[in-house]
Amino acid sequence: MDLYIKKAILHAFDPGQPEITFSENLMELTPVMLDYVTKKVEKIYSDDAKRGVLTEENHFLSLVTDDFIASTIAVANFWREEFILSEKQKQNDLLFVAYELETQPHFAFIRLSLRDSFSHDFDTATGQIKIRKTESSLPGAGSAADEAIAINRNTFSYHLLEKRIKYNGKKYNYFSENLLAEKPEISVNKAIKTIKKTAESVAKSFDDDDFAFSQKVQNAVFHAVEKQENLNPEALADQLFADNLTARLAFKDQVKEEIPDKIRFEQMPMEKIEKKLSNQKLSLSNGIEMIVPQSLYEDAETVEFIQNDDGTYSIIIKNIEEIKNKW
């Protein structure tokens, strides 16, 4: 990911205080802090991110101007108006970043929920090493943000990681619904889960929901990801239900409720997504578990799945040169 951090600033939200505590100056981007900020921004571009494009008239977008510090204050205050309605509030640091991604200017808002941590101190008087609890610590660099949005300032496209808040006993996607006033696309991760669940449900209604079909679904999605094509429910329906028009139409209708359009793979961690799908993980009724790489799953010279006359299955693993016991 070609990412260049230009500036960053950190503000503090405390639910016990009437206002956000604002920094007056930009963060000093030492090598350690630059690494921290970069990793936090990179985490926004995950397969859990919802995506969309803001209109030029969007109120949230209008708060982001060329005056970086003023923009961060405006966005933070706007965010606070909605977040304080949450029934459970904690201290949060609000990290704002101006950066370039593939030479395009971007603006990011990252909410970091503070938490307790533990460290050790050496007591010179007693010669003891003591464990000390530290309150209000920032999460580690490698952890995902609690909530974040990254906006391309040229195209107005965005990546959003959001968490629902509870208000009056109900949960709301307050960030997309109230702050952005937009309905973003479903995330790639949720889209894959929706396709799997819907395909298996439709197959079950036609008594075709055995393990082989589940493998077929994973295989079809894996190849779409491997080729870095769009995840197209229409094309998947043709692959999965090629011989059953009724099932094919049922799948398309049901999936369209959550995935009305093709799912794009732009600026997605494709290696991570591909890795998730790269192995078929099988759990057998006799307690045996198997992991079969996708590259070998379709190779009849390596592994063969046979359905016996009595309805049971046999699995033949071929041409094994060596077996290792890994425990």
Side-chain angles (χ1 to χ4, degrees):
M1 181 176 283
D2 185 14
L3 194 150
Y4 168 57
I5 304 295
K6 299 182 72 175
K7 57 184 80 171
I9 195 168
L10 193 70
H11 304 313
F13 168 79
D14 186 335
Q17 299 298 322
E19 294 182 352
I20 292 172
T21 302
F22 292 107
S23 297
E24 295 181 359
N25 299 304
L26 296 175
M27 184 183 296
E28 183 183 356
L29 293 173
T30 63
V32 172
M33 291 314 304
L34 181 61
D35 179 68
Y36 184 88
V37 172
T38 300
K39 287 180 178 177
K40 286 301 175 187
V41 172
E42 288 176 342
K43 289 289 184 181
I44 304 174
Y45 297 89
S46 80
D47 55 349
D48 286 317
K50 302 175 182 178
R51 293 170 295 169
V53 180
L54 299 173
T55 62
E56 291 188 31
E57 298 78 24
N58 184 277
H59 177 63
F60 189 94
L61 183 64
S62 70
L63 301 176
V64 182
T65 67
D66 292 334
D67 188 331
F68 177 68
I69 294 180
S71 298
T72 69
I73 293 172
V75 170
N77 281 326
F78 186 45
W79 166 84
R80 182 183 179 278
E81 291 175 10
E82 298 297 334
F83 188 75
I84 57 173
L85 299 177
S86 174
E87 294 179 5
K88 291 184 179 180
Q89 298 180 35
K90 298 180 180 180
Q91 286 183 299
N92 287 271
D93 277 354
L94 312 178
L95 175 63
F96 292 87
V97 189
Y99 63 100
E100 288 186 1
L101 177 59
E102 296 170 359
T103 72
Q104 294 284 308
H106 284 69
F107 176 92
F109 165 42
I110 304 170
R111 177 170 70 85
L112 304 170
S113 181
L114 304 185
R115 58 209 68 187
D116 295 338
S117 64
F118 294 87
S119 61
H120 70 260
D121 280 336
F122 182 73
D123 190 330
T124 55
T126 63
Q128 291 179 317
I129 296 178
K130 298 181 178 180
I131 295 176
R132 179 170 57 88
K133 181 179 179 181
T134 304
E135 297 181 350
S136 303
S137 296
L138 284 164
S143 61
D146 291 274
E147 205 159 41
I149 185 169
I151 302 174
N152 183 317
R153 296 201 59 204
N154 283 347
T155 66
F156 309 145
S157 62
Y158 64 87
H159 285 62
L160 171 67
L161 296 173
E162 69 174 335
K163 288 187 177 179
R164 295 187 296 174
I165 62 170
K166 193 173 183 180
Y167 175 62
N168 283 341
K170 296 182 179 180
K171 291 186 176 181
Y172 298 90
N173 285 319
Y174 80 103
F175 209 113
S176 57
E177 294 175 7
N178 296 1
L179 294 178
L180 299 184
E182 293 269 347
K183 186 176 181 179
E185 297 175 7
I186 188 173
S187 70
V188 170
N189 188 29
K190 189 173 181 181
I192 291 173
K193 290 180 179 178
T194 297
I195 287 169
K196 178 180 183 293
K197 182 179 179 180
T198 305
E200 291 177 351
S201 175
V202 171
K204 186 175 182 179
S205 66
F206 289 92
D207 297 321
D208 189 25
D209 61 330
D210 62 3
F211 85 94
F213 181 79
S214 183
Q215 290 177 309
K216 185 177 180 181
V217 176
Q218 182 178 339
N219 200 41
V221 173
F222 170 77
H223 285 304
V225 171
E226 187 180 37
K227 296 174 184 175
Q228 298 197 11
E229 298 174 345
N230 292 326
L231 195 58
N232 186 349
E234 296 263 340
L236 288 173
D238 295 336
Q239 293 179 55
L240 300 176
F241 303 103
D243 301 323
N244 190 330
L245 176 60
T246 305
R248 191 157 67 244
L249 294 175
F251 174 79
K252 290 180 180 180
D253 288 341
Q254 292 179 34
V255 165
K256 192 168 288 187
E257 295 176 11
E258 290 200 52
I259 313 175
D261 300 306
K262 299 176 183 177
I263 298 296
R264 300 169 293 111
F265 287 148
E266 287 90 345
Q267 293 184 333
M268 283 284 103
M270 298 309 298
E271 289 185 7
K272 178 183 175 183
I273 299 171
E274 188 175 331
K275 186 176 180 180
K276 285 183 181 180
L277 298 165
S278 62
N279 293 314
Q280 296 273 359
K281 297 179 181 180
L282 309 178
S283 179
L284 313 186
S285 60
N286 58 9
I288 296 174
E289 294 185 348
M290 296 178 59
I291 298 178
V292 184
Q294 290 283 10
S295 58
L296 301 179
Y297 167 71
E298 297 173 300
D299 183 4
E301 296 301 316
T302 302
V303 61
E304 187 177 357
F305 300 89
I306 301 170
Q307 185 166 16
N308 304 315
D309 293 338
D310 61 0
T312 61
Y313 292 94
S314 295
I315 302 175
I316 302 176
I317 303 174
K318 309 173 183 179
N319 303 319
I320 301 171
E321 295 181 358
E322 183 181 9
I323 297 177
K324 292 183 179 180
N325 185 347
K326 295 184 177 181
W327 66 288

